[in-house]
Amino acid sequence: MKVLEARDLYKIYGTNIRALDGISLSVEGGTVFGLLGPNGAGKTTFVRIVATQLLPSSGRVSVLGYDVVSQPTLIRRRIAVVPQEGRPLSLQTPYEHIVTYLVVRGIDFSEAKKRAESTLSELNLQAYRNTICANLSGGLRQRVLIAMAMSTDSDLLVLDEPTIGLDPVARVDVWNLIRDYVIDGGKTILLTTHYMEEAESLSDRLAIVNRGRIVAEGTVTEIRSRLGATHVVLVKKSMTTQQDAEVEFARYGRVLRAGAGIRVLTSQSGASEIASLCLKKNVEVSIRQVNLEDVFISEVGEQIDAEQAA
Ligand code: ATP
């Protein structure tokens, strides 16, 4: 079953900021769908339209079979949203947060209390049940927000940059929560991220977005296979000049500029030939398998996360 369908979606802020420039995608139930893109790509705009918090300029979006423009109330009852950089209230405990959230959504008080207990246990948050959120770490506070959303047992969860600012351990904790919700509960998650490993590790399918458009869409394997290469060789310093290096390596595959060096998209044997050539000339080189960042660079000519690359 399709949980989400967007067709020819446009969002224009003011007169000329095209935040969404013709997005079409669909999300199957029981999967994680990732929207990966740099800052300003249009990810938050997309998820806010899905969450019925923002109206599209044109195009259609249906969520769980309902239209976001004409049937927002029916959608809101069946989805839960964790906004980007959401913060739990400092003086409430995780338990109070979940109970309040459920009651506000129209759930009976005694049922809300039961669900709060079971969600805290399932998400391993019982130890922090009565700690005020101000005294929790950033990772735990994020888990409280996700716990609130998950306690609703919604068919679709929308998570906007769920691990932004978290350390690697807290990030993996959040990834596990997301996976379990989908695998154990058969639910659907739409998430945005600008972390490539997050998109790769979590998404059953994903769309790479840039400037309001989809650059590539599919499973991670399908998207990677667009490159027609299995390996990437990063040549850190040009051999003589950058141009010479580009010419020299062109016979092994596609050559892309990457900061001060170049990256060559090639086969495994091409990679080892380039590596031995570079080693002979004392040029620093590294080899890895292709990833989504390579697809993005190849399509857009820049890196998804300039900060991360630096
Ligand atoms: P980020 O991760 O930085 O939030 P994003 O991919 O979520 O990026 P959006 O926040 O959807 O991107 O922004 C898409 C574009 O629309 C950007 O150019 C942004 O500056 C612009 N934009 C977003 N909200 C508004 C608004 N309310 N008014 C005008 N322009 C906006």
Side-chain angles (χ1 to χ4, degrees), residues 68-185:
V68 290
V69 177
S70 59
Q71 299 169 300
T73 319
L74 294 171
I75 295 174
R76 281 177 210 148
R77 280 190 205 131
R78 293 186 55 193
I79 70 169
V81 182
V82 178
Q84 192 176 134
E85 296 181 28
R87 296 270 174 275
L89 296 173
S90 329
L91 295 176
Q92 278 200 331
T93 65
Y95 175 79
E96 289 164 348
H97 256 294
I98 298 176
V99 173
T100 314
Y101 185 60
L102 290 174
V103 169
V104 167
R105 283 179 66 107
I107 291 179
D108 170 79
F109 188 48
S110 60
E111 170 66 17
K113 289 195 289 188
K114 263 191 242 157
R115 280 211 215 168
E117 296 294 0
S118 62
T119 308
L120 290 171
S121 306
E122 281 162 26
L123 272 54
N124 286 327
L125 284 168
Q126 273 295 0
Y128 311 100
R129 184 187 183 283
N130 300 321
T131 310
I132 60 166
C133 288
N135 294 338
L136 296 176
S137 66
L140 282 168
R141 283 202 295 267
Q142 185 66 2
R143 283 175 58 180
V144 171
L145 289 179
I146 293 176
M148 287 161 67
M150 289 182 175
S151 70
T152 62
D153 203 29
S154 293
D155 296 312
L156 173 67
L157 286 198
V158 178
L159 310 176
D160 194 1
E161 300 270 6
T163 65
I164 201 160
L166 298 189
D167 66 47
V169 175
R171 183 169 294 163
V172 170
D173 279 345
V174 170
W175 290 358
N176 290 337
L177 298 184
I178 292 173
R179 268 199 214 98
D180 290 348
Y181 193 72
V182 171
I183 293 169
D184 300 344

Side-chain angles (χ1 to χ4, degrees), residues 13 17 19 38-45 84 161:
Y13 290 111
I17 301 173
N39 291 336
K43 306 180 298 294
T44 298
T45 301
Q84 192 176 134
E161 300 270 6

Side-chain angles (χ1 to χ4, degrees), residues 125-298:
L125 284 168
Q126 273 295 0
Y128 311 100
R129 184 187 183 283
N130 300 321
T131 310
I132 60 166
C133 288
N135 294 338
L136 296 176
S137 66
L140 282 168
R141 283 202 295 267
Q142 185 66 2
R143 283 175 58 180
V144 171
L145 289 179
I146 293 176
M148 287 161 67
M150 289 182 175
S151 70
T152 62
D153 203 29
S154 293
D155 296 312
L156 173 67
L157 286 198
V158 178
L159 310 176
D160 194 1
E161 300 270 6
T163 65
I164 201 160
L166 298 189
D167 66 47
V169 175
R171 183 169 294 163
V172 170
D173 279 345
V174 170
W175 290 358
N176 290 337
L177 298 184
I178 292 173
R179 268 199 214 98
D180 290 348
Y181 193 72
V182 171
I183 293 169
D184 300 344
K187 310 291 191 182
T188 308
I189 289 185
L190 170 67
L191 70 88
T192 76
T193 182
H194 66 278
Y195 297 121
M196 195 185 53
E197 328 83 85
E198 181 157 294
E200 280 194 328
S201 126
L202 281 180
S203 317
D204 294 298
R205 291 183 75 80
L206 68 123
I208 303 184
V209 285
N210 187 49
R211 293 172 201 247
R213 293 185 181 199
I214 293 181
V215 172
E217 204 238 317
T219 62
V220 172
T221 315
E222 283 166 1
I223 292 180
R224 278 202 208 124
S225 70
R226 291 165 68 105
L227 288 169
T230 55
H231 287 71
V232 176
V233 187
L234 299 157
V235 182
K236 298 276 168 61
K237 253 177 13 186
S238 61
M239 306 187 70
T240 44
T241 67
Q242 188 142 342
Q243 252 171 355
D244 287 347
E246 282 177 37
V247 171
E248 174 144 23
F249 295 133
R251 65 197 149 113
Y252 296 107
R254 228 172 124 202
V255 180
L256 306 168
R257 290 190 177 214
I262 55 167
R263 57 179 80 195
V264 189
L265 305 177
T266 184
S267 60
Q268 189 166 3
S269 59
S272 64
E273 282 181 44
I274 297 171
S276 55
L277 220 114
C278 289
L279 289 175
K280 267 187 218 145
K281 298 192 179 182
N282 222 6
V283 172
E284 202 184 332
V285 71
S286 63
I287 300 177
R288 59 164 172 74
Q289 293 191 329
V290 291
N291 63 29
L292 296 178
E293 183 83 45
D294 303 312
V295 178
F296 191 79
I297 292 174
S298 130

